[in-house]
Amino acid sequence: RFVNSKAIRDKNARDLLPLLEEKEDFKNKFSSFPDDKKCALIELVKPRMKTLDQFEPKFDMYLKGDLDYSNPDLEKLKESYPVENIISHLRTIRAHVDTLAPADFNSAVLEAGLRECAEKHGLKAADLVHPVRFAITSEMVSPSVFDVLAFLGKEESIRRMDGLIEFLEKR
């Protein structure tokens, strides 16, 4: 697995894509997405991949938005933050994200904005990062939350934050 993960990290996304698409199910499932988007996703997640089979769930999560908020990571998040704080923190960062122009939706601007937003509200950056990460990935560990937000884009990022808020309000 170690050697395999190194081989994955050393390969270019354009070289990995055909290997992933050797599986007909994978190819059919993601054929509607442009290769540039798929390659950008490969670059985003490949540092954490140990096998090619691990890519498909990430493609489901990032490209199709197949998220399951009712997983053990939600309980981990709730150990650190009461549900009302998670909702409040998500609304805070969501309001900030909503003000950004799509052209400004990149990692550097998102990180600076989140840190400024946290300071303005007397929070630590982590108080916003952790709920946002879970909202957009349904996981507590992911690539840089700012890179993931930029990859997803403004509309999808907001949709996912709203999705977690709604999920938590119904519970």
Side-chain angles (χ1 to χ4, degrees), residues 66-114:
D66 293 344
L67 301 177
D68 176 15
Y69 291 128
S70 58
N71 70 53
D73 278 359
L74 177 60
E75 296 311 312
K76 290 179 192 172
L77 182 64
K78 288 175 13 183
E79 287 173 12
S80 299
Y81 304 97
V83 171
E84 56 274 4
N85 287 11
I86 296 169
I87 292 170
S88 170
H89 296 344
L90 281 172
R91 285 191 172 128
T92 297
I93 195 63
R94 189 222 182 274
H96 171 72
V97 164
D98 204 29
T99 67
L100 295 175
D104 291 332
F105 214 78
N106 64 64
S107 296
V109 170
L110 288 162
E111 182 172 4
L114 182 137

Side-chain angles (χ1 to χ4, degrees), residues 35-163:
D35 284 354
D36 286 347
K37 188 80 169 173
K38 291 185 273 193
C39 286
L41 178 55
I42 289 169
E43 286 299 327
L44 183 66
V45 300
K46 80 177 182 178
R48 297 178 180 278
M49 300 294 104
K50 305 240 183 290
T51 67
L52 292 177
D53 291 338
Q54 292 177 325
F55 279 91
E56 189 169 345
K58 299 301 179 190
F59 270 64
D60 279 335
M61 177 193 318
Y62 292 111
L63 291 180
K64 295 180 130 193
D66 293 344
L67 301 177
D68 176 15
Y69 291 128
S70 58
N71 70 53
D73 278 359
L74 177 60
E75 296 311 312
K76 290 179 192 172
L77 182 64
K78 288 175 13 183
E79 287 173 12
S80 299
Y81 304 97
V83 171
E84 56 274 4
N85 287 11
I86 296 169
I87 292 170
S88 170
H89 296 344
L90 281 172
R91 285 191 172 128
T92 297
I93 195 63
R94 189 222 182 274
H96 171 72
V97 164
D98 204 29
T99 67
L100 295 175
D104 291 332
F105 214 78
N106 64 64
S107 296
V109 170
L110 288 162
E111 182 172 4
L114 182 137
R115 292 187 186 288
E116 182 181 305
C117 198
E119 189 176 313
K120 177 181 170 186
H121 289 89
L123 302 168
K124 294 181 280 183
D127 294 338
L128 298 177
V129 167
H130 295 300
V132 169
R133 173 177 282 120
F134 186 77
I136 62 176
T137 67
S138 71
E139 296 179 342
M140 290 296 293
V141 177
S142 74
S144 160
V145 71
F146 310 110
D147 291 344
V148 175
L149 286 164
F151 173 81
L152 293 174
K154 180 178 176 175
E155 286 182 29
E156 181 64 11
S157 297
I158 288 173
R159 186 189 73 75
R160 291 178 183 211
M161 285 185 254
D162 289 345

